[in-house]
Amino acid sequence: MCGIVGYIGKLQASDVILKGLHKLEYRGYDSCGISLFNENIDDFILYKDKGRVNHLQDDFNYDFENHLGIGHTRWATHGAPNHINSHPHASVSGRFVVVHNGVIDNYKELTAKYLVGYSFESETDTEVIANLIESFASSYDVDIAIRKTLALLEGSYALLVIDTRNPHIIYAGKNKSPMILGKRADGICLASDLMALVGISDEYYLIEDKTFVKAVKDESGYAFEMYDPVGIEFCPVRNEVHLDTEEINKGGFPHYMLKEICEQPSVVRKIISNYAPDGKFIIDKEVLNLFANKKRIYILAAGTSYHAGLLGKVYFEKISGIPTEVFVASEFAYNKPILEKESVFVLISQSGETADLRACLVDIKKLGYQSLTITNVKTSTLAREATKYLEIFAGTEIAVASTKAYVGQVSVLVIIACVLEQDNKCSLLTEMGRLAVAMEAIIDRRDYIKELIKTRLLKRNAFYIGRGIDYFTCLEASLKLKEISYIQTEGFPAGELKHGTIALIEDGVPVIAIITQKHINKNTRSNIQEVKARGAEVIVISMNDIKESDDDIVLMDVHHILSPILAVIPTQLITYYKALDLGRDIDKPRNLAKSVTVE
Ligand code: G6P
């Protein structure tokens, strides 16, 4: 994953880069570093260390003129998160300095072929890149040395390179990992994501795979050059963005996660207003055409988005009547099932950058299939590269744990399924309005959940149980609880627990049961009795029309098919308050990153 930011221009480079790195910390945050041209001493400095961007910002000195630099925030792939493995990495002589996001698959082969006898400081694949450039630079111009290096790299990379002999250029290259270029009259910023450009530039350019870029300062000012893989210069398309700075503030909430949980009713309303502007669900005709005469839908996704996909299958099958299969992207990419010819692929990705999904997309395109990406980021790689995309309008999600994006994905899946329904009988529009109200009601009662979990969730492990669509909510709920609180949690089909896993139930083990569907109410309640009899500490989340007197969290009734969008909210709140109780780093849980751009 990792976040990279480079800047050349009139502003103080350290300000731009550190601010940008803060905004990119969602991509990884185990270590970070920066290299700047210090004009006072006419030389480059390099600071890096294990830890967060705050440490990089507060514990090093930036009290010098600097107008060119590159920075990095890391999610470790090769080598532990420590000082030495942190980026930037310099070549042996120190001449070339590189920051890198991605994974170079053939770095060992390249070392054996081109860098025999080199001694490396770190365990990273990035140091190999810096040294390859240096070794080629002994025989070629720097541009050629970098382009020769890029041509040899297999895998994913977004790279920024500086040649310490020339403090007027930043070089960049990319393949698979994202990178954009922001331009203003007095400077250029290169970064992994648009977020780093907030407050810097509204004008930006997407950098395509295998493009080589130079950001240059010359007598006339600041300019950039982009070259295609064969070295021909081209003019990229200019884009504009107006990022809402409000959206990326905490808005008075102690954590982004809580803010984003509380925003969910308005996400549903925003989706309604975008997809039903005239009182009827509408989807772009070209998107609908992707589904025309298709015998099967394949949904591909990862993590939380995969859980949204499981619900998507229910909606496509139950509402639209189209057989649907759902796959975890990293599995599908290398273990493909037999595919139905007349089918369409739906890729679900909050970030639109997940590398596992991109690998699938490349493959399915080769096989001639059409695809639809459902994403929160319309400028993302998966939005651009799929046949069509649909937005979920959740607004920027900053907490690593996805909440409002999940609700947005599921809501958009419901809408697509309704529009695809042949007889046009699906009338969930008013029901979605009611859903937003029910979501508000449970969010308003969050203090009650905060108190509830203080005495009821006390063990190192926990279970969520449910049947049918409630089981899918259980999967999402358990992922959320484990990733933020580090309590080992499993989501189980309520009826399956007794076939083995019930062996883990003992006194006080929390079992949270989700019951939103009338037709399985009695069955799940029997399973509750089975675990209670073995000492489990049971918490029941149910709907008003099927509640029992001692249920713990009762939700307002909504249409049964929409209940997962409501029932997930108390589970997000359970996660949030438990993690708060345990003193966890809620918005940046350990070992995770929000955008997973490595396979
Ligand atoms: C990471 C995040 C998860 C997310 C998954 C898929 O693992 O930590 O929260 O669900 O990636 O991300 P995507 O952006 O494709 O939805």
Side-chain angles (χ1 to χ4, degrees):
M1 280 72 91
C2 310
I4 57 177
V5 187
Y7 174 77
I8 177 167
K10 287 211 170 121
L11 302 173
Q12 181 82 342
S14 50
D15 288 348
V16 176
I17 294 169
L18 289 166
K19 270 191 203 135
L21 289 180
H22 268 296
K23 297 193 194 102
L24 295 185
E25 258 192 326
Y26 73 90
R27 304 177 67 86
Y29 36 81
D30 55 45
S31 49
C32 46
I34 192 166
S35 179
L36 297 160
F37 182 66
N38 178 338
E39 306 212 351
N40 300 2
I41 57 167
D42 204 19
D43 203 357
F44 278 86
I45 60 99
L46 195 155
Y47 301 146
K48 61 181 187 176
D49 205 356
K50 184 178 168 159
R52 301 271 165 98
V53 177
N54 270 341
H55 168 43
L56 187 67
Q57 178 164 343
D58 299 341
D59 302 338
F60 295 91
N61 171 30
Y62 300 93
D63 200 9
F64 53 86
E65 278 291 298
N66 62 83
H67 299 283
L68 176 146
I70 56 177
H72 188 268
T73 177
R74 180 172 188 245
W75 186 85
T77 55
H78 297 68
N82 57 29
H83 174 87
I84 288 185
N85 290 328
S86 313
H87 297 220
H89 289 283
S91 56
V92 273
S93 76
R95 176 174 172 188
F96 292 97
V97 180
V98 178
V99 290
H100 166 217
N101 164 34
V103 171
I104 305 303
D105 298 333
N106 62 338
Y107 79 107
K108 286 195 176 141
E109 291 85 337
L110 292 173
T111 308
K113 188 159 176 195
Y114 297 98
L115 301 173
V116 178
Y118 273 65
S119 66
F120 296 101
E121 272 195 0
S122 75
E123 297 157 80
T124 66
D125 47 352
T126 308
E127 213 184 331
V128 173
I129 303 172
N131 283 304
L132 274 176
I133 298 172
E134 177 160 304
S135 84
F136 289 131
S138 60
S139 326
Y140 301 97
D141 282 353
V142 175
D143 285 23
I144 298 178
I146 297 176
R147 289 190 30 216
K148 271 186 162 303
T149 303
L150 295 179
L152 289 173
L153 303 179
E154 285 171 17
S156 56
Y157 56 83
L159 287 175
L160 297 179
V161 182
I162 44 183
D163 173 3
T164 56
R165 292 187 192 166
N166 184 351
H168 304 298
I169 305 184
I170 299 176
Y171 302 89
K174 96 143 206 126
N175 186 42
K176 297 187 187 171
S177 302
M179 183 152 58
I180 45 116
L181 180 148
K183 167 96 177 68
R184 45 188 274 160
D186 61 356
I188 289 167
C189 185
L190 288 141
S192 305
D193 183 314
L194 282 174
M195 296 258 281
L197 297 189
V198 176
I200 302 294
S201 165
D202 287 346
E203 174 183 337
Y204 75 96
Y205 300 82
L206 297 165
I207 302 177
E208 298 299 334
D209 281 356
K210 311 261 171 146
T211 303
F212 170 62
V213 183
K214 285 164 75 176
V216 184
K217 180 191 175 206
D218 58 23
E219 314 74 50
S220 52
Y222 298 90
F224 67 86
E225 298 159 22
M226 281 199 196
Y227 298 89
D228 73 7
V230 284
I232 298 174
E233 192 172 355
F234 67 96
C235 263
V237 179
R238 179 184 187 277
N239 301 287
E240 278 206 17
V241 70
H242 300 288
L243 288 169
D244 183 356
T245 36
E246 270 307 294
E247 210 172 68
I248 57 172
N249 291 331
K250 281 197 197 128
F253 287 91
H255 297 96
Y256 283 111
M257 185 179 179
L258 185 60
K259 172 180 179 251
E260 289 161 5
I261 290 173
C262 294
E263 281 170 354
Q264 293 179 109
S266 57
V267 169
V268 170
R269 292 195 178 105
K270 205 161 163 198
I271 288 172
I272 296 174
S273 67
N274 276 285
Y275 284 102
D278 302 315
K280 189 172 181 288
F281 290 138
I282 297 183
I283 301 271
D284 179 274
K285 269 225 166 71
E286 290 182 29
V287 172
L288 289 183
N289 285 342
L290 297 178
F291 293 85
N293 304 319
K294 293 297 184 303
K295 295 203 176 97
R296 195 166 290 268
I297 299 172
Y298 293 104
I299 299 181
L300 309 178
T304 289
S305 301
Y306 170 72
H307 298 148
L310 293 171
L311 289 166
K313 172 182 164 70
V314 175
Y315 299 143
F316 287 137
E317 294 194 337
K318 289 219 156 64
I319 302 177
S320 336
I322 310 174
T324 303
E325 289 179 47
V326 196
F327 294 90
V328 165
S330 55
E331 280 301 302
F332 183 90
Y334 303 100
N335 297 292
K336 248 185 279 334
I338 297 174
L339 296 173
E340 160 72 56
K341 237 176 148 212
E342 300 304 319
S343 47
V344 60
F345 281 81
V346 174
L347 284 72
I348 308 175
S349 174
Q350 176 278 129
S351 63
E353 299 295 347
T354 299
D356 294 322
L357 264 178
R358 177 136 196 255
C360 298
L361 182 57
V362 170
D363 238 36
I364 59 179
K365 276 169 104 170
K366 277 192 202 138
L367 294 172
Y369 290 100
Q370 293 195 303
S371 51
L372 167 70
T373 293
I374 298 175
T375 183
N376 204 20
V377 187
K378 66 176 181 190
T379 52
S380 63
T381 308
L382 292 170
R384 294 198 317 271
E385 294 185 355
T387 321
K388 299 300 288 177
Y389 73 87
L390 286 177
E391 261 188 278
I392 60 169
F393 299 106
T396 312
E397 190 180 65
I398 298 198
V400 166
S402 182
T403 52
K404 63 176 181 168
Y406 172 77
V407 155
Q409 291 165 341
V410 180
S411 305
V412 170
L413 285 163
V414 170
I415 293 172
I416 306 172
C418 282
V419 178
L420 288 176
E421 190 228 347
Q422 299 271 339
D423 302 334
N424 219 355
K425 280 193 306 218
C426 177
S427 59
L428 289 176
L429 181 54
T430 333
E431 299 293 342
M432 282 187 80
R434 284 166 55 92
L435 168 71
V437 175
M439 290 165 89
E440 258 156 12
I442 184 66
I443 289 169
D444 287 348
R445 286 176 58 216
R446 60 185 183 272
D447 281 346
Y448 162 75
I449 295 179
K450 181 178 179 178
E451 290 311 309
L452 180 81
I453 55 98
K454 279 194 176 137
T455 52
R456 311 282 293 277
L457 259 183
L458 298 173
K459 296 278 180 176
R460 254 308 272 127
N461 56 346
F463 291 90
Y464 269 97
I465 58 168
R467 287 171 178 246
I469 54 177
D470 293 337
Y471 165 51
F472 301 141
T473 309
C474 288
L475 290 178
E476 172 54 15
S478 65
L479 176 64
K480 213 91 309 176
L481 189 57
K482 70 185 124 187
E483 69 182 329
I484 311 298
S485 72
Y486 317 146
I487 292 174
Q488 185 171 2
T489 317
E490 295 306 324
F492 247 85
E496 181 66 9
L497 197 72
K498 60 183 175 294
H499 297 293
T501 308
I502 201 164
L504 298 175
I505 303 293
E506 54 187 22
D507 264 355
V509 170
V511 176
I512 305 170
I514 302 179
I515 319 174
T516 68
Q517 310 290 307
K518 246 186 211 142
H519 71 287
I520 43 82
N521 181 21
K522 292 230 156 55
N523 313 61
T524 306
R525 293 206 185 263
S526 312
N527 304 128
I528 290 174
Q529 291 314 320
E530 291 156 12
V531 291
K532 262 193 179 159
R534 287 155 181 89
E537 175 67 57
V538 175
I539 297 174
V540 178
I541 301 173
S542 66
M543 308 298 290
N544 190 48
D545 62 347
I546 48 174
K547 69 169 187 273
E548 289 193 359
S549 58
D550 53 354
D551 287 354
D552 301 276
I553 300 172
V554 177
L555 303 168
M556 260 174 73
D557 291 328
V558 294
H559 190 287
H560 66 94
I561 211 140
L562 300 178
S563 68
I565 308 177
L566 175 62
V568 76
I569 293 182
T571 73
Q572 296 166 343
L573 290 165
I574 287 173
T575 293
Y576 175 77
Y577 287 116
K578 190 65 213 173
L580 193 68
D581 251 12
L582 293 169
R584 304 299 192 220
D585 193 346
I586 292 181
D587 288 334
K588 293 196 182 80
R590 71 183 176 208
N591 302 341
L592 300 182
K594 189 152 189 70
S595 178
V596 182
T597 54
V598 293
E599 277 187 56

